[in-house]
Amino acid sequence: MAISLLVTDRNLNVLGAPITGWTSLACELNFNAPATGAVAMPARPEYMELLQPGNRLVVIRDGEIWCAGPMEQPQSYTWDVGSNAGVGTVEVAFSDDLARIAGYLTYPEPTKAFASQTITSDVVRKLTANAETIIRTLVNENCGPGALAARRIERLVLDTVAGVGTNQTVSTRFQPLLEACRAAAVTNGLGFRTRQVGDQIRFGVYAPRDLRSTARFSAGLNNLRSVAFTMSAPLATSELVMGGDDPAQQATPPNTRAYVEVVSGTAADWYRVEKLVQESGKTDADGELTLAGRLALGNDNPTASLSTVTVDTPDLKAGRDYGLGDKVAVVLPTGLQVSDVVQAIRLDVTPDRGEEVTSVIGNNDKTTKRATVWNVRDLAYRLGQIEARG
């Protein structure tokens, strides 16, 4: 185990000396979502000076950057007279640079300041292109090098084009930026991420890999410490998507409603469950209602999820041999093999116990130790939809 911690400013300039003497580190990387991390250290004056708003924390594992991004809670300080704590302890909560992007909304007219947006309620930003191009465009024009100067994230650039994804249409209006990116990514199962390379924060899109034949976990391979498996019924197998305009609110009919049903293949294994999805103002001329149904199925499909505690071996190491979004295989002691995508990879380190890597495979947030808050994500999306119709 070789872990190094650096503090930088928002322009990626290293501040002070590397942090030593830390007592615990936890960092969870999430697929198409910001990371979550926390580190505890003695509250030495030289450290407190570095732990300031706007600064970033860089976690380096075995010479490679594991996570780099803003401190979301630079200081959580504790001390009491009975603990013999010396100067006390400070805990820092941090994320990766995707958290900066998550703080933005999609402007209908990204070349204009907010106060200069067109004064109509139905203006949307509609992009029809390759999925990767849509995601890169959304980031570039809202917080990247192509954005208004006041909205640009320092040192953020677009990574090399990967050439992945198929053509589709995504409409967005004051929607959380990452939600719009997920909408473009879902059809092809694409991933997107930030990574620090030198003095740049690079945002890129990638196609996860099918590694079921090479990234395998089992007791027999000595890379699996524990596993919990949960199978649950689907919340919906038929997403009934209703778009168009409400006839009751139209001065002159006819009915301009649009209806699309998106069906999951799991209905044959389980049973039919219907759910209504409302997408007012949209039609399926560009496949937008179909896309909304696919997004809904992503949350409503039956859950076959895993919580695993894995161990890095010379032959299989997180971040090197498999990553977020990749499809891997886990062989249960019962003999059943379960395959799904890697949703999160968590690193826990203490100087005395060493490191432990925990992989969350599948889509059930209940299996995570520091769970990505999918319900909050969904709520933000729905609120954005409501506001867009206002």
Side-chain angles (χ1 to χ4, degrees), residues 163-187:
V164 296
T166 57
N167 287 345
Q168 57 188 278
T169 297
V170 171
S171 294
T172 180
R173 175 181 180 271
F174 295 124
Q175 184 182 12
L177 178 52
L178 286 193
E179 292 301 335
C181 291
R182 292 189 189 103
V186 67
T187 299

Side-chain angles (χ1 to χ4, degrees), residues 84-210:
N84 194 26
V87 295
T89 299
V90 62
E91 182 171 293
V92 180
F94 63 94
S95 185
D96 58 11
D97 291 303
L98 203 59
R100 291 286 308 275
I101 296 175
Y104 285 76
L105 301 180
T106 57
Y107 279 18
E109 298 172 288
T111 60
K112 298 180 181 180
F114 178 75
S116 301
Q117 297 292 306
T118 299
I119 310 174
T120 58
S121 61
D122 59 350
V123 171
V124 297
R125 179 85 165 100
K126 178 176 286 191
L127 297 99
T128 300
N130 168 275
E132 179 185 10
T133 300
I134 292 176
I135 296 170
R136 289 168 61 92
T137 299
L138 286 169
V139 170
N140 180 54
E141 66 187 16
N142 284 286
C143 63
L148 295 172
R151 303 186 74 205
R152 292 175 196 158
I153 294 175
E154 299 86 353
R155 314 307 301 172
L156 179 64
V157 300
L158 297 180
D159 211 336
T160 304
V161 174
V164 296
T166 57
N167 287 345
Q168 57 188 278
T169 297
V170 171
S171 294
T172 180
R173 175 181 180 271
F174 295 124
Q175 184 182 12
L177 178 52
L178 286 193
E179 292 301 335
C181 291
R182 292 189 189 103
V186 67
T187 299
N188 303 121
L190 300 181
F192 50 83
R193 62 194 169 198
T194 57
R195 60 193 187 104
Q196 179 178 331
V197 179
D199 62 352
Q200 295 180 331
I201 300 170
R202 298 183 183 179
F203 174 86
V205 182
Y206 66 98
R209 302 161 294 178
D210 187 342

